[in-house]
Amino acid sequence: MRQSLRILSVLLAASTATAQIQWARSLDEALAAAKTRNTVVFVALNMDGERANDQMVEDHYRDSTLVKLSKNTINLFCSNNTHGNGSCKRCKGTTCAIHRTNDYQVRRKILQVDGETSVVAPQHLFLDGDGKIINSATYFITKGELEWLWVQAIQAVQSDFKWTPSERYRAP
């Protein structure tokens, strides 16, 4: 019995460690799904080779609390970088072509900037189904701050959304 419990604990820890946010394929699909489901689009603008961006990809987007919260939203990863052909090595479950297109679309349709304008990354946007920004944060934020932003955005469109905050939950 003890051996079975130990094995179960190891398997549970391993599955939590590999959990990650599921990413939508396009901005248009994400907005349409958010409108249909009356939920929020979480947009993660990211770039390679910068400590805060790297930490978000390696740690925040794999955090079990944030992954659980992400199941209540439509999620969109955006990066202009490439990481090889086929499946993206940096952002599992998508391709570099997809997240590059997403980056382009979010810059033009949501942030309303052209290709020459710099955009801060990491940057997190929470949109309603029409693409209106509910809230956002630039630069590095803690997991608790990201959790707070996420919950506030969902509750802006679903007033009955219930969430038990973690001990790190706080406004940015």
Side-chain angles (χ1 to χ4, degrees):
M1 178 69 169
R2 280 188 171 189
Q3 183 67 18
S4 296
L5 287 175
R6 253 186 260 144
I7 291 170
L8 183 59
S9 295
V10 169
L11 290 173
L12 195 59
S15 69
T16 301
T18 59
Q20 66 179 30
I21 295 169
Q22 297 300 303
W23 303 104
R25 296 183 54 82
S26 77
L27 176 61
D28 290 339
E29 287 178 16
L31 291 172
K35 201 169 210 167
T36 299
R37 290 178 38 194
N38 189 38
T39 193
V40 172
V41 176
F42 164 62
V43 178
L45 290 162
N46 198 271
M47 68 179 184
D48 290 7
E50 192 280 323
R51 189 178 335 153
N53 286 277
D54 293 342
Q55 186 171 352
M56 292 288 178
V57 168
E58 294 302 319
D59 190 30
H60 287 47
Y61 305 154
R62 290 184 169 101
D63 176 78
S64 61
T65 300
L66 297 175
V67 169
K68 181 179 176 185
L69 194 51
S70 77
K71 294 177 189 299
N72 297 285
T73 58
I74 311 301
N75 311 295
L76 194 69
F77 186 80
C78 304
S79 174
N80 195 31
N81 301 105
T82 56
H83 315 102
N85 295 330
S87 182
C88 180
K89 295 175 180 112
R90 183 173 173 91
C91 182
K92 305 262 187 275
T94 189
T95 67
C96 296
I98 289 170
H99 66 64
R100 287 191 71 179
T101 300
N102 292 342
D103 186 77
Y104 178 86
Q105 293 296 320
V106 166
R107 286 172 186 256
R108 273 128 193 104
K109 292 182 178 180
I110 305 302
L111 300 176
Q112 299 180 346
V113 297
D114 61 25
E116 303 301 315
T117 304
S118 296
V119 173
V120 172
Q123 185 170 166
H124 299 95
L125 307 167
F126 294 86
L127 314 173
D128 68 15
D130 292 322
K132 180 180 172 224
I133 298 173
I134 298 168
N135 62 29
S136 65
T138 56
Y139 301 110
F140 179 81
I141 56 175
T142 67
K143 292 179 204 176
E145 292 167 333
L146 187 53
E147 178 186 354
W148 184 90
L149 286 164
W150 223 312
V151 170
Q152 296 301 307
I154 295 170
Q155 289 176 338
V157 297
Q158 299 174 12
S159 59
D160 60 342
F161 178 74
K162 302 291 185 227
W163 180 258
T164 303
S166 71
E167 67 284 345
R168 63 190 183 201
Y169 183 87
R170 72 182 197 94

